[in-house]
Amino acid sequence: MIGLARRMKKAGLLGINARNASYQMLLNDRRRYPLVDDKVKTKRLAEEAGLAVPELYALVAAHWQVKRFEQLLEGRERFVIKPAQGSQGNGIMVIDSRMHHGWRKADGTMITDEDLHYHLVNILSGMYSLAGQPDEAMVEYRVDFDSVFDQVTYQGVPDLRVIVYRGVPAMGMLRLPTRASDGKANLHKGGVGVGIDLTTGMTCGGMLFDNPITLHPDTGHALEGLQVPGWQNILRLSARCADLTGFGYLGVDVVLDRKRGPLILELNARPGLAIQIANRTGLELPFARIDAMDPEACSLEDRLDMARQLQPEAAAEGGSA
């Protein structure tokens, strides 16, 4: 046990208590949490700053709107329904097409109009919201994801998570849906996490339920050596999101659309720590490097240069986590 603790310390692994006490509580103003906990506010904040997000088709805020759902869609047949204050992917429903008296979901299963209305009512009741409070249902653009990850994805939409510390992108991860995760990229549901070289945007290993893996469990393709398109732009978007919210510790989720490029999916003031396992190194190492560079006094370009300097140093010191 002592040996394990020493190896974890050497790798710079950040635990949940240290994350909360030393970073989340100190660097994230609680009064600003609604900016990221409410996805409608996040979307509007990003749009006002000129950052790309999936288009919001409709907002269902009251029960009477459920019966008018199809009118709100204005003929659209491909869309995503998600709770405005949901978390961990709960309550998200992806619709691919309209069928006779029903809808086809992304996983190929069928639901009736009544099923869809029932789901909307559940969202309004707060079934999926963070604090169980009444919520709103967002209906937005269904991402047509870039084909670059087709061979390592089972249905669903892969996304990218970047941890931004004091305005500097500190660690990145690709999240891939699997059969077990029901097409969702969330790691706790069975999605695959893949580490990313912060400098180059190349993938460098994977994990499933906290265990290292090298191949996607459904497609059998290698997880290492994939180039994330537009990686430098994704780092820039992530750093700008930190500036927008004023948070010093932030998770930024980005999805790659085939035609629209990188889109900001959501922001998280309490990002999980599994990204460390995917990258085989801890967050404490890049955080310490960033602390030494006094990033708040630097421009966006300087902070991006700092991010590009982090990877070799962190990897060399971290070794295998």
Side-chain angles (χ1 to χ4, degrees), residues 162-198:
V162 177
I163 299 290
V164 184
Y165 176 63
R166 297 182 63 186
V168 181
M171 195 171 285
M173 173 174 62
L174 170 65
R175 301 190 301 184
L176 301 168
T178 65
R179 184 192 301 271
S181 71
D182 191 26
K184 296 178 180 175
N186 302 82
L187 302 187
H188 70 285
K189 293 181 182 296
V192 170
V194 184
I196 300 176
D197 184 303
L198 207 60

Coordinates of all heavy atoms in Angstrom, one line a residue, residues 162-198:
V162 N -10.9 18.6 -22.7 CA -9.7 19.3 -22.3 C -9.8 19.9 -21.0 O -10.8 20.6 -20.7 CB -9.4 20.4 -23.4 CG1 -8.1 21.2 -23.0 CG2 -9.2 19.8 -24.8
I163 N -8.9 19.6 -20.1 CA -8.8 20.3 -18.8 C -8.0 21.6 -18.9 O -6.9 21.5 -19.4 CB -8.2 19.4 -17.7 CG1 -9.0 18.0 -17.5 CG2 -8.0 20.1 -16.4 CD1 -10.3 18.2 -16.9
V164 N -8.6 22.7 -18.5 CA -7.9 24.0 -18.6 C -7.7 24.4 -17.2 O -8.6 24.5 -16.3 CB -8.8 25.0 -19.3 CG1 -8.0 26.3 -19.5 CG2 -9.2 24.5 -20.7
Y165 N -6.4 24.7 -16.9 CA -6.0 25.1 -15.5 C -5.4 26.5 -15.6 O -4.4 26.8 -16.3 CB -5.0 24.2 -15.0 CG -4.4 24.5 -13.6 CD1 -5.3 24.6 -12.5 CD2 -3.1 24.8 -13.5 CE1 -4.7 25.0 -11.3 CE2 -2.6 25.2 -12.2 CZ -3.4 25.3 -11.1 OH -2.9 25.6 -9.9
R166 N -6.0 27.5 -14.9 CA -5.6 28.9 -14.8 C -5.4 29.4 -16.3 O -4.5 30.2 -16.6 CB -4.3 29.0 -14.1 CG -4.4 28.6 -12.6 CD -3.1 28.8 -11.8 NE -2.7 30.2 -11.8 CZ -1.5 30.6 -11.2 NH1 -0.7 29.7 -10.7 NH2 -1.2 31.9 -11.3
G167 N -6.3 29.0 -17.1 CA -6.3 29.6 -18.5 C -5.4 28.8 -19.5 O -5.4 29.2 -20.7
V168 N -4.8 27.8 -19.0 CA -3.8 27.0 -19.9 C -4.4 25.6 -20.1 O -4.6 24.9 -19.1 CB -2.4 26.9 -19.3 CG1 -1.5 26.2 -20.2 CG2 -1.9 28.3 -19.0
P169 N -4.6 25.1 -21.3 CA -4.9 23.7 -21.5 C -3.9 22.8 -20.9 O -2.7 22.9 -21.3 CB -5.0 23.6 -23.1 CG -5.3 25.0 -23.5 CD -4.5 25.9 -22.6
A170 N -4.3 21.9 -20.0 CA -3.3 21.1 -19.3 C -3.3 19.6 -19.6 O -2.3 19.0 -19.4 CB -3.5 21.3 -17.8
M171 N -4.4 19.1 -20.1 CA -4.5 17.7 -20.4 C -5.7 17.5 -21.3 O -6.7 18.1 -21.2 CB -4.6 16.8 -19.2 CG -4.3 15.3 -19.4 SD -4.2 14.4 -17.8 CE -2.5 14.9 -17.3
G172 N -5.6 16.5 -22.3 CA -6.7 16.2 -23.2 C -7.0 14.8 -23.3 O -6.1 13.9 -23.0
M173 N -8.2 14.5 -23.7 CA -8.6 13.1 -23.8 C -9.7 13.0 -24.9 O -10.6 13.8 -25.0 CB -9.2 12.6 -22.5 CG -9.8 11.2 -22.5 SD -10.3 10.6 -20.8 CE -11.5 11.9 -20.3
L174 N -9.6 11.9 -25.7 CA -10.7 11.5 -26.6 C -11.6 10.5 -25.9 O -11.1 9.6 -25.3 CB -10.1 10.9 -27.9 CG -11.0 10.3 -28.9 CD1 -11.9 11.3 -29.5 CD2 -10.1 9.6 -30.0
R175 N -12.9 10.7 -26.0 CA -13.9 9.8 -25.4 C -14.7 9.1 -26.5 O -15.3 9.8 -27.3 CB -14.8 10.5 -24.4 CG -14.0 11.2 -23.3 CD -14.9 11.7 -22.2 NE -15.8 12.7 -22.6 CZ -16.7 13.3 -21.8 NH1 -16.6 13.1 -20.5 NH2 -17.5 14.2 -22.3
L176 N -14.7 7.8 -26.5 CA -15.3 7.0 -27.5 C -16.5 6.2 -27.1 O -16.4 5.4 -26.1 CB -14.3 6.1 -28.2 CG -13.0 6.8 -28.7 CD1 -11.9 5.7 -29.0 CD2 -13.4 7.6 -30.0
P177 N -17.6 6.2 -27.8 CA -18.8 5.3 -27.4 C -18.5 3.9 -27.7 O -17.7 3.5 -28.5 CB -19.9 5.8 -28.3 CG -19.4 7.2 -28.8 CD -17.9 7.1 -28.9
T178 N -19.1 3.0 -26.9 CA -19.0 1.6 -27.1 C -20.4 1.0 -27.1 O -21.4 1.6 -26.8 CB -18.2 0.9 -26.0 OG1 -18.9 1.1 -24.7 CG2 -16.8 1.6 -25.8
R179 N -20.5 -0.3 -27.4 CA -21.8 -1.0 -27.3 C -22.3 -1.0 -25.8 O -23.4 -0.7 -25.6 CB -21.6 -2.5 -27.7 CG -22.9 -3.3 -27.7 CD -22.6 -4.8 -27.9 NE -21.8 -5.1 -29.1 CZ -22.4 -5.3 -30.3 NH1 -23.7 -5.4 -30.3 NH2 -21.6 -5.6 -31.3
A180 N -21.4 -1.2 -24.9 CA -21.8 -1.2 -23.5 C -22.3 0.2 -23.0 O -23.1 0.3 -22.1 CB -20.6 -1.6 -22.6
S181 N -21.7 1.3 -23.6 CA -22.2 2.6 -23.2 C -23.4 3.1 -23.9 O -23.8 4.2 -23.7 CB -21.0 3.6 -23.4 OG -20.8 3.9 -24.8
D182 N -24.0 2.2 -24.7 CA -25.2 2.5 -25.4 C -25.0 3.7 -26.4 O -25.8 4.6 -26.5 CB -26.4 2.8 -24.5 CG -27.7 2.9 -25.2 OD1 -27.9 2.3 -26.2 OD2 -28.6 3.6 -24.6
G183 N -23.8 3.8 -27.0 CA -23.5 4.8 -27.9 C -23.1 6.1 -27.3 O -23.0 7.1 -28.0
K184 N -23.0 6.2 -26.0 CA -22.6 7.5 -25.3 C -21.1 7.4 -25.0 O -20.5 6.4 -24.8 CB -23.4 7.6 -24.0 CG -24.9 7.8 -24.3 CD -25.7 7.9 -23.0 CE -27.2 8.1 -23.4 NZ -28.1 8.1 -22.2
A185 N -20.5 8.6 -24.9 CA -19.1 8.7 -24.7 C -18.7 8.8 -23.2 O -17.5 8.8 -22.9 CB -18.5 9.9 -25.5
N186 N -19.7 8.8 -22.3 CA -19.4 8.9 -20.9 C -18.6 7.7 -20.4 O -19.0 6.6 -20.6 CB -20.7 9.1 -20.1 CG -21.5 10.3 -20.6 OD1 -22.2 10.2 -21.6 ND2 -21.3 11.4 -20.0
L187 N -17.5 8.0 -19.7 CA -16.7 6.9 -19.3 C -17.3 6.0 -18.2 O -17.1 4.8 -18.2 CB -15.4 7.4 -18.7 CG -14.5 8.3 -19.6 CD1 -13.2 8.7 -19.0 CD2 -14.3 7.7 -21.0
H188 N -18.1 6.6 -17.3 CA -18.7 5.7 -16.3 C -19.8 4.8 -16.8 O -20.3 3.9 -16.2 CB -19.3 6.6 -15.2 CG -20.5 7.4 -15.6 ND1 -20.4 8.5 -16.4 CD2 -21.8 7.2 -15.3 CE1 -21.7 9.0 -16.6 NE2 -22.5 8.2 -16.0
K189 N -20.3 5.1 -18.1 CA -21.3 4.3 -18.7 C -20.6 3.2 -19.6 O -21.3 2.4 -20.2 CB -22.2 5.1 -19.6 CG -23.1 6.1 -18.8 CD -24.0 6.9 -19.7 CE -24.9 7.8 -18.9 NZ -25.8 7.2 -18.0
G190 N -19.3 3.2 -19.7 CA -18.6 2.2 -20.5 C -17.9 2.7 -21.7 O -17.5 1.9 -22.6
G191 N -17.8 4.0 -21.8 CA -17.1 4.6 -22.9 C -15.6 4.5 -22.7 O -15.1 4.2 -21.6
V192 N -14.8 4.6 -23.8 CA -13.4 4.5 -23.8 C -12.7 5.8 -23.7 O -13.1 6.7 -24.4 CB -12.9 3.7 -25.0 CG1 -11.4 3.8 -25.1 CG2 -13.3 2.3 -25.0
G193 N -11.8 6.0 -22.8 CA -11.0 7.2 -22.7 C -9.6 7.0 -23.4 O -9.0 6.0 -23.1
V194 N -9.2 7.9 -24.2 CA -7.9 7.8 -24.9 C -7.1 9.1 -24.7 O -7.6 10.2 -24.9 CB -8.1 7.6 -26.4 CG1 -6.8 7.4 -27.1 CG2 -9.1 6.5 -26.7
G195 N -5.9 8.9 -24.2 CA -5.0 10.1 -23.9 C -4.6 10.7 -25.2 O -4.6 10.1 -26.3
I196 N -4.3 12.0 -25.1 CA -3.9 12.8 -26.3 C -2.6 13.6 -25.9 O -2.5 14.2 -24.9 CB -4.9 13.8 -26.7 CG1 -6.2 13.1 -27.0 CG2 -4.5 14.7 -27.8 CD1 -7.4 14.1 -27.3
D197 N -1.6 13.5 -26.8 CA -0.4 14.3 -26.7 C -0.8 15.7 -26.9 O -1.3 16.1 -27.9 CB 0.6 13.8 -27.8 CG 2.0 14.6 -27.6 OD1 1.9 15.8 -27.7 OD2 3.0 13.9 -27.5
L198 N -0.6 16.5 -25.8 CA -1.0 17.9 -25.9 C -0.3 18.7 -27.0 O -0.9 19.7 -27.5 CB -0.8 18.5 -24.5 CG -1.7 19.7 -24.1 CD1 -3.1 19.2 -24.0 CD2 -1.2 20.2 -22.7

